[in-house]
Amino acid sequence: MSDVEVRTHTALHVVKGAVVKVLGEGAKWTASTYVEGNRGVLTVKFDRKPTSEEIAEIERLANEKVRENVPIEVYELSREEAERRFGEDMYDLFPVPEEVRTLKVVVIEGWNVNACNKEHTKTTGEIGEIKIRKVRFRRSKELLEISFDVLD
């Protein structure tokens, strides 16, 4: 994974934290993610299109978290220990295969907890500015797609 993709991937976790803060627990389940270069797409299960104010607030909170430059902790734990410590909230809608017995859990304290085996930056400050480009709500599937760029 290139350096810019590591930053973009880490931005997914920051954006996800902001999405849940603004839209509530109803938006906590990630359906899919996509990263190519400095472009990322976070897709969460949700039941409506957010207002332009909510979208602006998600971007504002995400960038505030970047400016705070907080550490990104990665814990490598047995699956049982991870589930005991973090519960089902660390999972997404796409399952971790049964045979995976050790999980990497990425934690941005008080912000986002996610089982994730990708590379991440050490702090949120390394990500760079996050710019939300497009938000698309797919009503038939109850999916909210948030496309963003990470700027240098």
Side-chain angles (χ1 to χ4, degrees):
M1 204 190 272
S2 70
D3 178 53
V4 68
E5 288 187 331
V6 171
R7 287 171 41 220
T8 305
H9 177 82
T10 309
L12 285 167
H13 293 267
V14 173
V15 171
K16 173 73 184 287
V19 164
V20 176
K21 293 263 187 280
V22 175
L23 301 179
E25 287 290 302
K28 77 178 182 182
W29 297 110
T30 301
S32 68
T33 60
Y34 173 81
V35 168
E36 187 178 308
N38 72 329
R39 180 145 293 178
V41 182
L42 173 71
T43 305
V44 296
K45 195 98 178 109
F46 200 53
D47 58 3
R48 65 178 174 82
K49 185 169 178 126
T51 65
S52 49
E53 290 77 19
E54 286 171 325
I55 293 161
E57 183 64 1
I58 289 166
E59 184 178 277
R60 189 189 71 76
L61 284 177
N63 282 302
E64 197 173 87
K65 189 50 72 179
V66 168
R67 280 191 299 277
E68 284 173 20
N69 197 21
V70 297
I72 294 166
E73 308 286 353
V74 180
Y75 300 95
E76 198 155 334
L77 303 165
S78 71
R79 193 172 184 140
E80 291 73 22
E81 176 66 14
E83 287 174 357
R84 204 165 37 249
R85 275 176 69 173
F86 301 109
E88 66 167 13
D89 287 1
M90 71 177 173
Y91 288 124
D92 295 309
L93 291 177
F94 38 96
V96 174
E98 256 325 297
E99 61 272 15
V100 176
R101 300 318 303 163
T102 303
L103 296 180
K104 281 187 177 172
V105 183
V106 178
V107 178
I108 303 172
E109 199 55 55
W111 194 257
N112 176 251
V113 173
N114 228 187
C116 186
N117 62 1
K118 301 280 194 285
E119 278 181 71
H120 301 84
T121 60
K122 298 274 182 271
T123 65
T124 57
E126 293 169 54
I127 294 168
E129 190 188 341
I130 296 168
K131 180 89 192 110
I132 294 179
R133 291 279 175 223
K134 195 171 107 195
V135 174
R136 180 166 157 231
F137 178 57
R138 294 162 62 187
R139 185 174 305 282
S140 62
K141 296 189 166 152
E142 292 206 327
L143 291 177
L144 179 62
E145 294 175 1
I146 299 168
S147 303
F148 64 88
D149 289 349
V150 170
L151 311 178
D152 284 332

